[in-house]
Amino acid sequence: MARSRLVSRGLNSFLVVAALGLSTSVVSAQDVIRFGAPLPLTGPLAPEAIKQQQGYDLWA
């Protein structure tokens, strides 16, 4: 019983490490991470959206 529990913990640990290894290789393959925001640049809400866009540009 104790041996099977040890084997299952070892297998679970291996799977977690393998998953983390795969996920970091995918993230490091990309040079730039881009974020988007839906802003109404036309219409009655355009003046506020333009201010938001300027804030985002200043932050980036």
Side-chain angles (χ1 to χ4, degrees), residues 13-29:
S13 298
F14 173 75
L15 292 175
V16 168
V17 169
L20 289 174
L22 290 175
S23 66
T24 56
S25 65
V26 171
V27 172
S28 65

Side-chain angles (χ1 to χ4, degrees), residues 3 24 30 38 40 44 53-54:
R3 183 174 179 168
T24 56
Q30 299 175 358
Q53 183 182 24
Q54 291 171 346

Side-chain angles (χ1 to χ4, degrees), residues 2-57:
R3 183 174 179 168
S4 65
R5 189 181 313 173
L6 182 63
V7 169
S8 87
R9 283 186 184 174
L11 181 60
N12 287 340
S13 298
F14 173 75
L15 292 175
V16 168
V17 169
L20 289 174
L22 290 175
S23 66
T24 56
S25 65
V26 171
V27 172
S28 65
Q30 299 175 358
D31 294 332
V32 177
I33 298 175
R34 299 184 70 187
F35 292 94
L39 297 174
L41 298 178
T42 60
L45 297 176
E48 294 301 319
I50 291 172
K51 293 174 191 173
Q52 286 180 338
Q53 183 182 24
Q54 291 171 346
Y56 294 149
D57 291 340

